[in-house]
């Protein structure tokens, strides 16, 4: 069985290079129509530069809640301004599937490229009605929604607004560039989550962050080295002036103070940078990975799912595992 899967992967992987567009910019915070318009323009720009894949950061639609860690009183019980912001956050979120995913799928088909994007996913009916999930979506060049992953564990203050994810997105999907997977933010610090994707096999890993500061660069580089995969670390930009007006700015921030500073980078399977971290630059970064076969070469010295794995010693499984992508 494993031999058949490997042969299928080798047959399907026909390209040894990929041009990647990284959106190092932010949305129009908590404004879904304007954020979609901006995303559409950025996707078109990436396509014009012949990108094969364009990637947006964590909860790009419609904004990462960086204000959770800065604005006073947001954690106070029954605090009306925070409840108002939560309601706006819910209304600017998207359903999966839904009209927004159909729009993104149409753009992927139109431009014949892959789109990876972080979203605030909302549930409007049934079990979980009213919940917001921190989710990652990957669309194929044919418009198919290939991956739908909900962040397993919201990070620290995020627990006030996000629901707990599940295992269905802990997988990779086959593309002409090899297998692609992705995780969100501090999932890169979770050893068993990392190992799950390592076991699925990745040529390219999409690491979605709000801001890739030094410790998160370490996490991204460690993931690349451990998984023997290319890592695309995606950060975004945000100023304090973009915080919801219902909330009070702390004394240490001015409206023009940078809160998220980007830091997007691309890391090779040996842990070395192919694209050094880019800070404080609001731009669409387009970079080509020229030799995807490096993944196979690097597995000779370390392969945590292969010859370095000891299934006779360790027993590892995922509950409710997803189907093969």
């Amino acid at each position: 069985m494993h031999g058949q899967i490997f042969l299928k992967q080798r047959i399907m992987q026909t390209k040894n290079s990929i041009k990647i567009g990284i959106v190092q910019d932010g949305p129009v915070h908590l404004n879904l129509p304007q954020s979609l318009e901006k995303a559409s323009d950025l996707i078109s720009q990436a396509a014009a530069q012949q990108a094969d894949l364009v990637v947006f950061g964590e909860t790009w639609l419609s904004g990462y809640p960086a204000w959770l860690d800065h604005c006073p009183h947001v954690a106070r019980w029954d605090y009306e301004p925070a409840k108002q912001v939560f309601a706006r956050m819910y209304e600017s979120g998207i359903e999966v599937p839904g009209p927004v995913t159909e729009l993104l799928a149409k753009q992927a088909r139109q431009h014949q490229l892959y789109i990876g994007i972080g979203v605030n996913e909302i549930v409007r009916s049934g079990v979980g009605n009213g919940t917001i999930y921190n989710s990652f979506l990957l669309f194929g060049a044919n418009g198919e929604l290939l991956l739908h992953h909900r962040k397993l564990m919201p990070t620290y203050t995020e627990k006030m607004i996000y629901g707990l994810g599940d295992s269905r997105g802990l997988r990779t999907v086959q593309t002409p560039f090899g297998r692609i997977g992705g995780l969100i933010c501090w999932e890169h610090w979770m050893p068993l989550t990392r190992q799950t994707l390592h076991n699925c096999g990745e040529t390219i890993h999409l690491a979605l962050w709000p801001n890739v500061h030094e410790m998160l660069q370490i996490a991204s580089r460690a993931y690349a080295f451990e998984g023997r995969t290319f890592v695309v670390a995606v950060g975004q930009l945000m100023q304090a002036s973009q915080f919801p007006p219902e909330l009070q700015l702390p004394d240490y921030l001015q409206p023009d103070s940078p809160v998220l500073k980007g830091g997007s980078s691309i890391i090779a399977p040996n842990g070395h940078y192919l694209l050094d971290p880019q800070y404080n630059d609001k731009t669409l970064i387009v970079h080509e990975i020229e030799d995807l076969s490096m993944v196979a070469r690097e597995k000779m010295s370390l392969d945590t799912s292969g010859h370095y794995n000891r299934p006779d010693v360790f027993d590892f499984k995922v509950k409710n595992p997803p189907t093969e992508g």
Side-chain angles (χ1 to χ4, degrees):
M1 180 64 179
H2 290 296
Q4 292 175 349
I5 293 173
F6 179 73
L7 180 60
K8 178 183 176 183
Q9 293 173 7
R10 287 294 300 274
I11 292 172
M12 291 184 68
Q13 183 174 343
T14 59
K15 298 184 179 181
N16 195 42
S17 65
I18 183 172
K19 187 175 284 188
I20 298 174
I22 301 174
V23 174
Q24 182 158 280
D25 195 354
V28 182
H29 200 70
L30 301 187
N31 188 316
L32 181 58
Q34 291 185 27
S35 294
L36 282 172
E37 184 177 344
K38 187 172 185 178
S40 178
D41 180 60
L42 288 161
I43 292 168
S44 296
Q45 289 181 41
Q49 296 186 56
Q50 299 182 316
D52 301 295
L53 164 68
V54 59
V55 193
F56 297 76
E58 182 175 2
T59 63
W60 202 92
L61 288 177
S62 295
Y64 180 77
W67 36 268
L68 281 170
D69 294 326
H70 293 280
C71 294
H73 311 306
V74 290
R76 248 176 54 193
W77 174 251
D78 207 29
Y79 183 52
E80 183 60 28
K83 291 195 294 183
Q84 291 173 7
V85 174
F86 178 83
R88 288 212 294 131
M89 187 175 173
Y90 184 82
E91 290 306 315
S92 66
I94 73 167
E95 295 179 87
V96 183
V100 173
T101 60
E102 291 177 8
L103 176 62
L104 292 169
K106 180 180 178 180
Q107 292 176 331
R109 283 194 303 270
Q110 176 186 343
H111 296 295
Q112 289 292 291
L113 50 64
Y114 289 76
I115 299 173
I117 189 167
V119 302
N120 287 316
E121 178 193 351
I122 59 172
V123 179
R124 292 194 183 276
S125 62
V127 177
N129 175 26
T131 302
I132 306 176
Y133 292 101
N134 183 336
S135 298
F136 159 61
L137 308 177
L138 178 66
F139 295 87
N142 62 357
E144 181 183 357
L145 179 56
L146 300 175
L147 275 176
H148 174 200
H149 171 57
R150 291 172 171 171
K151 189 175 183 181
L152 290 178
M153 178 56 64
T155 304
Y156 201 56
T157 50
E158 291 175 6
K159 295 181 179 67
M160 289 189 288
I161 56 175
Y162 289 121
L164 302 182
D166 50 54
S167 66
R168 65 174 149 176
L170 292 180
R171 60 189 183 90
T172 60
V173 292
Q174 184 63 41
T175 76
F177 313 99
R179 299 195 74 84
I180 298 178
L183 292 174
I184 304 166
C185 200
W186 275 43
E187 290 183 315
H188 293 87
W189 294 118
M190 298 171 69
L192 300 184
T193 302
R194 297 198 309 267
Q195 189 61 44
T196 300
L197 282 197
H198 297 340
N199 288 351
C200 292
E202 284 180 300
T203 304
I204 300 167
H205 175 81
L206 307 181
L208 275 59
W209 306 94
N211 180 48
V212 200
H213 58 66
E214 181 186 10
M215 286 305 298
L216 307 186
Q217 294 290 342
I218 291 171
S220 299
R221 294 184 69 182
Y223 189 99
F225 187 89
E226 179 182 82
R228 304 322 246 184
T229 180
F230 291 95
V231 168
V232 182
V234 186
Q236 48 197 303
L237 300 185
M238 184 181 194
Q239 289 186 328
S241 60
Q242 295 169 280
F243 284 179
E246 295 91 339
L247 302 177
Q248 175 188 343
L249 283 183
D251 294 338
Y252 59 85
L253 286 181
Q254 298 299 316
D256 61 351
S257 297
V259 178
L260 304 179
K261 302 179 182 180
S264 301
S265 60
I266 298 179
I267 304 146
N270 60 6
H272 296 168
Y273 284 115
L274 295 179
L275 173 69
D276 289 336
Q278 308 292 301
Y279 289 104
N280 301 309
D281 189 8
K282 184 186 294 185
T283 185
L284 171 69
I285 303 165
V286 178
H287 186 89
E288 185 171 12
I289 298 176
E290 298 179 345
D291 184 11
L292 294 172
S293 67
M294 184 180 184
V295 168
R297 296 199 302 275
E298 290 304 316
K299 287 183 182 292
M300 181 177 180
S301 53
L302 175 66
D303 185 358
T304 56
S305 297
H307 62 83
Y308 255 69
N309 190 291
R310 289 293 303 275
D312 57 321
V313 177
F314 303 108
D315 184 17
F316 176 62
K317 67 177 181 179
V318 179
K319 295 182 180 179
N320 304 315
T323 56
E324 181 71 18

